[in-house]
């Protein structure tokens, strides 16, 4: 698992919860909200899908760590790695 | 992964009521793996927005219009788009048909509107030229007001319109459609609800799924099946058991008991408090009292054969709008007409038959006190009176009365008693209690109310309310 895998995982989730959004040009270092029409309900869904699909818990206070693909990758990588070795 | 309950009669969440709020919250919770049980006392889903068959034809109970149509001028801001995304039901699958045009009719004065907000603005300017600046100021005030936040102040719209507008007739004409589409208050509507409905009706717009309410109910029940959510129909809840802090179980009329970690009740605030069986606790919800009667005619041909091409007409006989429980069985002074066959493009209307629906305020108490025989007699009597009266508000309607009668081959009427049966609301209150609890919280930490008494009105509001309770009260805290 590396950061690019994680970015792809997050993008796949966004494609699932917001099928009407065009994800082809999404930039990693810019906040997702600035590039896509996502609101707090959509971010909840990203968190819930991470939990359902990958068994990863994101506490509510840390939802904002998912604001961009880069920040998501940085934040989630240790969680994915500890999950893989557990 | 969420810790899901394994004991057979224990659930993560029990939802009382399979209306749009209950079904929507169940989809959200089931989607993320929670073990959910829905208990519904009726034998069909939908609650107020249900359907039935009579004479081989299908009728919708609640749906006059699906508001919040994401029209070109309102763009992506419509809550309807949000709820489709949250429930993962593509908007396209609803096959929404837009209204032709609609009208607010007060005596001789008409204000027309369609799904282009600019047209409505031009109508207001045409009919009320002196109000132009004041109306613009009111619109700005409405945009600035935090109508959609959970703690929005429930101030009186009548007072605000009285202060902001010079011509009281415009105020009355704005109150009429907004009250009819969602006010639980007598003769007024609270300002945040007024703004939400104004946006939903005028800024966004009116539409109807081509298959009526089932276009929404079917995908919801299909999803629940897919997600393994259990649903028990014909299962009225007798009581909700509590200790001081938490709810522990629900007991059905037939004696069966179910335990759960969380409970969502959609049967109404007051009705939920009654199920709690705590006689010494003061009620926190007031009793609502606004209810309706609606008569439906099925006739041969198309409304356009009669020259009736509008979709919804909100009418009021005089220049003063009165919105309350009437002193007699029915109040004929104001009402709503819906011609559901006038949704959608004109050329797709090779229909053999069409419907006319006419709605008026009605008094639950008086209707509920009638003996069965008298009830049937009054229903028959008013059915005819209501349809005849309704024709007055359609172009040349009165002169076409005989022709219309000859072409009508089925009529039906539902009364405040029917509303009570479908919604379980005390008093058959169409929009529940005037007291609202937007976030759905109660004094019990694991009991939430959802639906009508959250105060997010209409079909879209009920669904969004159910979603918000599932999201904010349960999913976020997993």
């Amino acid at each position: 698992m590396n950061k690019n895998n994680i970015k792809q995982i997050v993008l796949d989730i966004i494609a699932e919860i917001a099928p009407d959004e065009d994800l082809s040009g999404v930039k990693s270092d810019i906040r997702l909200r600035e590039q896509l029409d996502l609101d707090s309900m959509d971010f909840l869904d990203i968190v819930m899908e991470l939990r359902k699909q990958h068994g990863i818990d994101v506490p509510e206070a840390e939802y904002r760590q998912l604001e961009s693909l880069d920040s998501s990758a940085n934040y989630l990588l240790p969680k994915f790695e500890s999950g893989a070795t557990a | 992964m969420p810790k899901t309950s394994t004991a057979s009669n224990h659930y993560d969440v029990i939802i009382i009521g399979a209306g749009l709020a209950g079904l929507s919250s169940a989809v959200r919770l089931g989607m993320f793996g929670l073990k959910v049980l829905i208990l519904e006392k009726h034998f069909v889903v939908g609650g107020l927005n249900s359907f039935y068959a009579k004479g081989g034809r299908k009728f919708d109970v609640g749906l006059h219009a699906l508001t919040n149509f994401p029209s070109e001028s309102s763009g992506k801001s419509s809550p309807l788009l949000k709820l489709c995304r949250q429930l993962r039901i593509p908007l396209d699958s609803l096959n929404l048909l837009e209204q032709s045009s609609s009208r607010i009719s007060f005596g001789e004065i008409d204000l027309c509107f369609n799904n282009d907000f600019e047209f409505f603005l031009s109508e207001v300017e045409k009919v009320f030229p002196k109000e132009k600046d004041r109306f613009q100021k009111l619109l700005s005030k409405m945009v600035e007001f935090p109508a959609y936040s959970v703690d929005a102040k429930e101030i009186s719209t009548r007072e605000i319109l009285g202060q902001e507008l010079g011509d009281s007739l415009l105020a009355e004409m704005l109150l009429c459609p907004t009250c009819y589409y969602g006010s639980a208050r007598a003769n007024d509507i609270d300002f945040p609800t007024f703004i939400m409905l104004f946006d939903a009706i005028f800024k966004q717009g009116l539409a109807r799924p081509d298959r009526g309410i089932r276009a929404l109910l079917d995908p919801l029940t299909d999803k629940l099946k897919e997600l393994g959510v259990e649903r028990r129909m014909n299962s009225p809840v007798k009581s909700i058991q509590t200790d001081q802090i938490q709810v522990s179980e629900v007991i059905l009329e037939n004696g069966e008991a179910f335990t759960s970690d969380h409970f969502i009740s959609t049967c109404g605030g007051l009705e939920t408090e009654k199920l709690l069986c705590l006689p010494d606790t003061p009620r926190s919800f007031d009793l609502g009292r606004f209810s309706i009667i609606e008569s439906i005619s099925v006739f041969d041909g198309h409304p356009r054969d009669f020259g009736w091409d509008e979709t919804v007409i909100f009418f009021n006989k005089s220049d003063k709008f009165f919105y309350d429980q009437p002193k007699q069985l029915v109040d004929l002074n104001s009402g709503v007409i819906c011609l559901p066959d006038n949704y959608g493009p004109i050329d797709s209307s090779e229909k053999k038959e069409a419907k006319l629906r006419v709605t008026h305020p009605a008094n639950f108490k008086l209707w509920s006190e009638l003996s069965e025989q008298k009830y049937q007699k009054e229903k028959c009597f008013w059915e005819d009176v209501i349809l005849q009266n309704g024709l007055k508000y359609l172009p040349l309607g009165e002169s076409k009365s005989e022709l219309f009668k000859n072409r009508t081959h089925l009529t039906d009427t539902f009364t405040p008693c029917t509303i009570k049966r479908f919604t379980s609301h005390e008093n058959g209150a169409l929009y529940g209690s005037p007291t609202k609890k937007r976030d759905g919280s109660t004094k019990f930490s694991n009991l939430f109310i959802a639906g009508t008494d959250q105060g997010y009105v209409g079909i879209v509001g009920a669904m969004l309310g159910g979603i918000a309770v599932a999201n904010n009260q349960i999913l976020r805290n997993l």
Side-chain angles (χ1 to χ4, degrees), chain B residues 218-232:
Chain B
D218 291 349
L220 287 171
T221 51
D222 289 350
K223 265 186 195 285
L224 292 174
K225 212 174 201 176
E226 234 170 77
L227 296 167
V229 169
E230 282 179 64
R231 175 156 55 89
R232 294 205 177 201

Side-chain angles (χ1 to χ4, degrees), chain B residues 177-192:
Chain B
T178 47
C179 282
Y180 270 121
Y181 274 7
S183 181
R185 276 209 206 180
N187 217 14
D188 202 346
I189 178 168
D190 62 83
F191 197 51

Side-chain angles (χ1 to χ4, degrees), chain B residues 110-258:
Chain B
D110 286 335
L111 271 180
C112 298
F113 64 97
N114 56 24
N115 286 356
D116 175 11
F117 186 52
E118 293 298 319
F119 172 67
F120 180 62
L121 293 178
S122 72
E123 275 283 297
V124 173
E125 198 182 324
K126 189 178 85 191
V127 181
F128 297 98
K130 287 183 187 155
E131 292 297 306
K132 190 184 174 193
D133 293 342
R134 281 189 286 258
F135 187 61
Q136 280 301 334
K137 212 178 124 222
L138 171 68
L139 291 178
S140 316
K141 190 182 173 113
M142 286 162 64
V143 170
E144 284 157 26
F145 193 89
Y148 294 84
S149 83
V150 284
D151 49 5
K153 265 201 176 154
E154 296 188 350
I155 44 182
S156 158
T157 301
R158 269 198 183 278
E159 260 174 49
I160 293 193
L161 296 184
Q163 291 157 9
E164 297 292 325
L165 298 171
D167 191 332
S168 66
L169 180 61
L170 176 57
E172 301 289 317
M173 291 180 89
L174 294 173
L175 282 165
C176 177
T178 47
C179 282
Y180 270 121
Y181 274 7
S183 181
R185 276 209 206 180
N187 217 14
D188 202 346
I189 178 168
D190 62 83
F191 197 51
T193 309
F194 173 78
I195 295 171
M196 284 193 272
L197 281 162
F198 184 91
D199 291 352
I201 299 168
F202 300 112
K203 283 194 174 172
Q204 289 143 24
L206 306 184
R208 180 181 184 275
D210 63 347
R211 293 193 303 123
I213 193 65
R214 272 149 301 179
L216 275 169
L217 293 173
D218 291 349
L220 287 171
T221 51
D222 289 350
K223 265 186 195 285
L224 292 174
K225 212 174 201 176
E226 234 170 77
L227 296 167
V229 169
E230 282 179 64
R231 175 156 55 89
R232 294 205 177 201
M233 308 304 286
N234 299 310
S235 300
V237 171
K238 188 178 169 200
S239 65
I240 302 174
Q241 300 295 311
T242 62
D243 56 29
Q244 287 308 303
I245 316 155
Q246 286 215 314
V247 170
S248 52
E249 62 179 353
V250 293
I251 297 172
L252 301 188
E253 292 282 0
N254 70 8
E256 272 185 283
F258 300 94

Side-chain angles (χ1 to χ4, degrees), chain A residues 16-18 20-21 37-42 44-45 48-49 51-52 55 60 63, chain B residues 1-3 28 31-33 76 82 85-86 88 464 467-468 471 475-478:
Chain A
E16 199 178 330
I17 64 178
D20 45 333
E21 293 292 328
D37 200 23
L38 299 179
D39 65 9
S40 62
M41 288 162 122
D42 299 311
L44 173 66
D45 278 36
M48 296 311 297
E49 288 296 335
R51 183 189 173 108
K52 186 171 89 177
E60 201 185 347
Y63 282 13
Chain B
M1 290 297 288
K3 239 185 19 211
R28 289 292 297 163
M31 200 181 268
F32 300 114
K76 280 189 167 184
K82 280 192 179 148
R85 197 185 264 190
Q86 285 275 297
R88 303 195 191 166
L464 272 181
I467 291 170
N471 285 357
L475 294 175
R476 275 182 205 278
N477 301 318
L478 283 179

Side-chain angles (χ1 to χ4, degrees), chain A residues 21 25-37:
Chain A
E21 293 292 328
V26 172
K27 293 198 170 58
S28 279
D29 55 339
I30 296 175
R31 290 172 53 189
L32 288 163
R33 273 187 202 238
E34 286 170 31
Q35 309 176 70
L36 302 167
D37 200 23

